[in-house]
Coordinates of all heavy atoms in Angstrom, one line a residue:
Chain K
G315 N -131.2 16.3 -219.9 CA -129.9 16.8 -220.4 C -129.3 15.8 -221.5 O -128.1 15.8 -221.7
T319 N -134.1 11.7 -228.7 CA -134.2 10.5 -229.5 C -135.6 10.0 -229.3 O -136.4 10.5 -228.4 CB -133.2 9.4 -229.2 OG1 -133.5 9.0 -227.9 CG2 -131.8 10.0 -229.3
R389 N -123.8 22.1 -199.9 CA -124.8 23.2 -200.3 C -125.7 22.6 -201.3 O -125.3 21.7 -202.1 CB -124.2 24.4 -200.7 CG -123.4 24.3 -202.0 CD -122.8 25.7 -202.3 NE -121.8 25.5 -203.4 CZ -122.1 25.4 -204.7 NH1 -123.3 25.2 -205.1 NH2 -121.1 25.3 -205.5
H402 N -119.4 17.6 -190.4 CA -119.9 17.5 -188.9 C -118.8 17.0 -188.1 O -118.1 16.1 -188.4 CB -121.1 16.4 -188.9 CG -122.3 16.7 -189.8 ND1 -122.8 18.1 -189.9 CD2 -123.0 15.9 -190.6 CE1 -123.8 18.0 -190.7 NE2 -124.0 16.8 -191.2
N437 N -114.6 43.4 -198.5 CA -113.9 44.4 -197.6 C -115.1 45.1 -196.8 O -116.3 44.7 -196.8 CB -113.2 45.4 -198.4 CG -114.0 46.0 -199.5 OD1 -115.0 46.5 -199.3 ND2 -113.4 45.9 -200.7
Y479 N -132.7 36.2 -177.0 CA -132.6 37.2 -178.0 C -131.5 36.8 -179.0 O -130.4 36.3 -178.6 CB -132.4 38.5 -177.5 CG -133.6 39.1 -176.9 CD1 -133.5 39.8 -175.6 CD2 -134.9 39.1 -177.4 CE1 -134.6 40.4 -175.0 CE2 -135.9 39.6 -176.8 CZ -135.8 40.3 -175.6 OH -136.9 40.8 -175.1
K521 N -137.6 38.6 -189.0 CA -138.1 37.3 -188.6 C -139.3 36.9 -189.3 O -140.3 37.8 -189.3 CB -138.4 37.4 -187.1 CG -138.8 36.0 -186.5 CD -139.0 36.0 -184.9 CE -139.3 34.7 -184.4 NZ -139.4 34.7 -182.9
R539 N -113.2 34.1 -194.4 CA -113.4 33.6 -193.0 C -113.9 32.1 -193.0 O -114.7 31.7 -193.9 CB -114.4 34.4 -192.3 CG -114.0 35.8 -192.1 CD -113.0 36.0 -191.0 NE -112.4 37.3 -191.0 CZ -111.4 37.7 -190.3 NH1 -110.9 36.9 -189.4 NH2 -110.8 38.8 -190.3
G550 N -116.7 25.5 -178.7 CA -117.0 26.3 -177.7 C -118.3 27.2 -177.9 O -118.6 27.5 -179.1
I557 N -131.1 23.3 -187.1 CA -131.0 24.2 -188.4 C -131.6 23.4 -189.5 O -131.1 22.2 -189.8 CB -129.5 24.6 -188.6 CG1 -129.0 25.4 -187.4 CG2 -129.4 25.4 -189.9 CD1 -127.6 25.9 -187.6

Side-chain angles (χ1 to χ4, degrees):
Chain K
T319 66
R389 65 179 169 78
H402 301 316
N437 53 53
Y479 287 135
K521 183 174 182 178
R539 298 285 168 181
I557 298 181

